[in-house]
Structures are given as structure tokens and as C-alpha cells.
Amino acid sequence: MKEETAYHTISEVSKKLNLPTHVLRFWESKFKQLSPMKLSGKRRYYREIDVQLIGYIKNLLHEDCISIKGVQKIFGNQTINQILKSKDPILKKKNVLAEKKTSDKTSSTNLNNENKKILKELLSDLRNIKNSF
């Protein structure tokens, strides 16, 4: 077994996270924070922090059902360390949408402006998807 500080090949990361290698390469093009070390022959070597970020991206996309554009907005210009320190910056794993609604007025005042903006963007993305069918 490799040490925690060892580098991982794309096939190792693919098996560990149950993701096809082409998905990992695609995500590299979409998320600037994900940039494995490349040596001669264009071989990719992922650090443990890269593997953690990929797992986080997978969770946001597959479990939380956030679009790639949505994840890009969440990440913004943050570094990989900032992203992983503040995991789940949008919902903080308590899921704003699942909060108990006492009334429409009360729930809307409880949401801060940033969450409102994010929810509006997500709603817009969902409408665009709906209209594309």
C-alpha cells in the first residue's frame, strides 16, 4: 500500500473513486483547481489532495446533483486548499432547501442574500434544462 504522500496514477484514482479515466481528464478541463502533475509522456500523477478534491467534485455532481457550472461557481477562484477546508460552502451539509418551513415569510428572511443568489442561479439552470427538452 502506498504512503499517504505518494502520487497516484490516473488508473489508481479511477479505481479508487469508481470513475472512468476519461471523466477525470474531462474534469481537469472544467476545474482549474484540479491539475495533477504531468511528467514526460504526459503521464498524470495525482497528489492525495487532488484525490480528495475529485471525491468532493464527484459528491457535488452525483450526490448533490449540482451542475458543472454550479460547481465552478461554488469553487470560484479559490485554491484547492481553500475548497477542501470549507467543504460544502453552499449548503454546509445541512441542506438549506430541507430546512423546516414555518412560513414563507419566515423561511425567506432566514436565508441570507448569498444563499438566495445561489438558489436563483440553480433555479435558472433547472429552467434551462427543462426548456431544452
Side-chain angles (χ1 to χ4, degrees):
M1 182 139 181
K2 288 188 174 185
E3 290 184 33
E4 184 88 10
T5 58
Y7 288 93
H8 305 277
T9 65
I10 193 167
S11 61
E12 290 171 342
V13 175
S14 173
K15 288 176 187 170
K16 181 177 183 177
L17 298 176
N18 196 25
L19 287 167
T21 55
H22 70 272
V23 170
L24 296 175
R25 289 189 292 270
F26 175 72
W27 286 356
E28 284 176 34
S29 71
K30 295 297 179 185
F31 304 105
K32 64 183 177 187
Q33 293 86 354
L34 182 58
S35 58
M37 184 173 67
K38 292 180 185 173
L39 297 179
S40 62
K42 304 274 185 177
R43 300 193 104 207
R44 290 166 168 80
Y45 293 96
Y46 295 88
R47 301 169 295 170
E48 188 59 35
I49 196 166
D50 295 320
V51 176
Q52 290 174 13
L53 180 64
I54 294 167
Y56 182 46
I57 292 169
K58 179 183 177 184
N59 186 51
L60 289 172
L61 294 173
H62 296 181
E63 300 297 323
D64 295 338
C65 299
I66 299 175
S67 68
I68 288 178
K69 271 190 172 182
V71 175
Q72 289 170 332
K73 287 178 185 177
I74 291 169
F75 287 0
N77 290 324
Q78 296 182 78
T79 65
I80 191 170
N81 288 323
Q82 291 171 326
I83 292 168
L84 292 175
K85 279 183 185 175
S86 67
K87 273 192 173 178
D88 304 318
I90 181 175
L91 303 178
K92 293 287 186 192
K93 281 296 183 196
K94 70 178 184 182
N95 197 344
V96 173
L97 301 175
E99 285 182 355
K100 293 181 181 177
K101 294 182 181 178
T102 54
S103 72
D104 288 288
K105 197 176 228 181
T106 311
S107 65
S108 67
T109 56
N110 288 340
L111 296 175
N112 63 30
N113 289 335
E114 184 179 342
N115 286 342
K116 285 182 183 179
K117 180 181 174 188
I118 292 169
L119 290 173
K120 284 180 183 179
E121 290 172 0
L122 291 172
L123 182 60
S124 174
D125 289 345
L126 289 171
R127 285 185 178 139
N128 288 337
I129 291 168
K130 180 183 175 186
N131 293 334
S132 69
F133 289 105

